[in-house]
Amino acid sequence: MPRGFLFIVLFFAALGHSFNTEDHLRILASSRWQGQRAKVALVLSGGAARGLAHVGVLKSWQEKKLPLDLIVGTSVGAIVGALYASGMDGAEIDRIIAGLNWNEIIEFRVTPSRILNLNSIISSEKMGDWMFSHMGDKKFSDLKIPFLCVACDIRTGEKIVFRDGDLIPAVRASSCIPGIFEPVEYRHRVLVDGGVVDNVPTDLASAEGADMIVASWTGGSRWLSDSRSIIAVLTQVISVSGTVLSRRQLEKADVVIEPDLKDVSPLDLDKFVQTSEAGYDATVKKAGEIEKMFLEKTLEKIKAAPDK
Amino acid sequence: MRKLGALTVLSALVFISSCAGVRIGRPSPLKIAASFEAAGNPDEAVKVLKNASLDPDLKPGAKREILTALAELYANQKDNLNAIKTLREAAQTGDGDPFIGLRLGEMLLREGLIAEAIAEFIALENRGVKTPSLLLGLGEAYYKNGRILKATGYLEQYLKIYPDDKKAQLMLYESYEASGNYPASRNALSGCAAILAEEDFALRMAMNWMRDGNPDEAVEELEKIKADFPESNFYLALACYQKGDLDKALNFFAQAPDSLADEASFFRALVLFELGRKAEAYPIFKKLALKENYSRYCAVFVK
């Protein structure tokens, strides 16, 4: 045996059983109070490549068995949220995205002959195909976890909320960065990335009746790549304006998970492993607080329940 | 045992040094340190090895042996930080001895430097090392780091090699429990029953059943230890509360021992509240709201 006996004895003496109030409350919340427990929403922000940290967030969320009743997503948060809501587990999403060759699904359209009439720099069609290969032709009603996503009608500036119908057009619209991807025409609207109007839609979660809102915030990039390319500047503009818009929305969240992404730009798709790890670690750090908040909100509902 | 281990390491190194001809002509510092160690004078042994390691003419291999032995002496004295520092110095002498990396990882783990321990173990894994110690080290490090699935994977691999390692089984049980895999958790817990006190085992099993939504099985487990273990009254109360047998729950909460008095009062107040006996519940919530563990939850009822 690689370890000494004495060490084992000390280990067990130190370990012992130590169940705490949260352990005991959790048992009741997951059984006796199941029908009354607090409804928890996870809101996944935009952030382009930075938003892939949501994959790590969900992976950790699942591992920690944190309660989840609703996912709301914008932009990349809509893509990751839809994959998870459709029944994929966090580790599976992590594996798929880690193995993804982005060059295969990002099709640049810029050629000298087309530049004047260009609708977009990158075609989102292959992105749609990729989504289809993982989510099929699911509708919102087919999802295992209720899910909403937002997009912006570029003609009216309205915030459009998708909660029913086909999933993929809604997710494509929600993640369609204006100027980079071609706007999605859907339901008589011309739609672009939801991050333009609401980069972290906590108010939607609240309107859907969530008792507790956790926001995974991956916007706020202050990092602009040296290239100053059109794409870099455009994504940074959206990120900066999204951050300003998001301040009040973040105040509506009970807990904010903010992965450490200080050296990840919105274009750093090749830093996925680091980004996802950052999301995972940030969630591990917040898990205790999320759980305590959940139990507190559940007790609030018990208190408010009519006498039996 | 640890002391015996260090003596074995020292003796082995003495033998190797003799063969390698470390300082032929005068006694090897390892030999001298081993004799001090055997005579119960580890401080002198440390001094000898520390001085020997400073010799500028020492070849890297010999220096590594001396530093490794010195690190073991520090570890025996529970001076983990010096052991870590010395192992790091030993690692810098080259050749990438996996033993040094493993010991370093283990010492970092023991010192609670989990992220650094993981980095050390992963570096070894990336070099193709796949020893049981490494699997256990990674399992334990990830377990302590809250990375339940990774911990489970390494511990499962380790237990295929050493199925009787109870410590690893206990960690595996905890990992399964945390990830909500309750049947697997029960199996792992049964596997390490021999090293747990009867009441500890029964209590863990009862909690597992309650988490798995089966309070009847929990009651069955707790009944076995009820006579000798007054704490079981609290858990019997909790199981009854979970089942919806509120009067019985109140009765058992009242029998909880002093060590669980506050916990029992808090849950008793919840039962009273659910029974509509709010006038009895409020003073309990109010009193417990002043205590740190309960303030957050009791505040819900007193505000």
Side-chain angles (χ1 to χ4, degrees), chain B residues 239-298:
Chain B
C240 290
Y241 190 4
Q242 189 183 14
K243 276 167 66 173
D245 198 343
L246 302 189
D247 290 326
K248 242 185 179 173
L250 283 180
N251 186 30
F252 279 123
F253 279 133
Q255 294 176 56
D258 288 349
S259 59
L260 285 167
D262 285 345
E263 194 74 358
S265 292
F266 174 64
F267 282 91
R268 190 167 166 270
L270 284 174
V271 175
L272 289 169
F273 192 91
E274 281 203 50
L275 283 169
R277 291 159 64 180
K278 295 179 183 174
E280 291 173 73
Y282 281 132
I284 302 173
F285 285 133
K286 210 170 170 185
K287 190 177 157 198
L288 287 173
L290 302 172
K291 301 201 173 188
E292 200 185 332
N293 278 356
Y294 305 96
S295 57
R296 180 172 195 161
Y297 304 126
C298 289

Side-chain angles (χ1 to χ4, degrees), chain A residues 1-5 7 11-12 15-17 19-25 27-28 31-33 63-65 277 280-281 284 289 292-293 295-296 299-300 302-303 307-308, chain B residues 1 106 133 140 146-149 158 165 167 170 178-180 195 200 203-204 207 210-211 231 234-235 238 241-242 244 246 263 267 270 273-274 278 294 296-297 300 303:
Chain A
M1 294 292 277
R3 304 271 171 133
F5 179 72
F7 185 63
F11 176 85
F12 289 126
L15 198 72
H17 66 263
F19 302 115
N20 57 26
T21 311
E22 283 73 29
D23 286 321
H24 304 143
L25 282 172
I27 286 172
L28 297 169
S31 52
R32 178 170 175 75
W33 300 333
E63 272 185 41
K64 299 271 172 202
K65 291 269 161 200
E277 286 277 308
Y280 186 99
D281 290 341
V284 167
E289 175 55 20
K292 284 181 181 173
M293 177 72 74
L295 294 170
E296 186 184 335
L299 289 175
E300 280 173 10
I302 299 294
K303 184 190 175 189
D307 287 341
K308 287 172 187 161
Chain B
M1 262 330 244
E106 285 170 3
S133 301
E140 189 174 342
R147 296 205 154 210
I148 307 299
L149 288 186
Y158 171 78
D165 186 335
K167 179 195 165 191
L170 197 60
S179 62
I195 47 122
D200 192 9
L203 196 52
R204 286 170 191 269
M207 281 296 281
M210 283 192 265
R211 285 171 175 147
E231 282 186 35
F234 171 80
Y235 293 94
L238 194 64
Y241 190 4
Q242 189 183 14
L246 302 189
E263 194 74 358
F267 282 91
L270 284 174
F273 192 91
E274 281 203 50
K278 295 179 183 174
Y294 305 96
R296 180 172 195 161
Y297 304 126
V300 169
K303 68 187 172 191

Side-chain angles (χ1 to χ4, degrees), chain A residues 56-135:
Chain A
V57 170
L58 284 165
K59 200 171 140 189
S60 174
W61 194 284
Q62 189 180 12
E63 272 185 41
K64 299 271 172 202
K65 291 269 161 200
L66 295 170
L68 184 55
D69 303 284
L70 172 70
I71 299 174
V72 182
T74 276
S75 191
V76 65
I79 299 174
V80 177
L83 287 168
Y84 192 77
S86 69
M88 268 192 202
D89 70 28
E92 195 180 352
I93 301 172
D94 197 71
R95 250 190 326 273
I96 288 169
I97 297 185
L100 188 63
N101 181 353
W102 289 97
N103 290 329
E104 282 179 8
I105 60 168
I106 293 174
E107 187 185 7
F108 286 89
R109 288 178 153 174
V110 185
T111 59
S113 60
R114 296 177 63 190
I115 196 124
L116 292 176
N117 291 316
L118 210 57
N119 292 328
S120 64
I121 297 168
I122 298 170
S123 160
S124 66
E125 279 164 27
K126 284 193 176 177
M127 182 71 92
D129 294 343
W130 179 82
M131 286 180 199
F132 184 81
S133 69
H134 293 290
M135 292 185 266

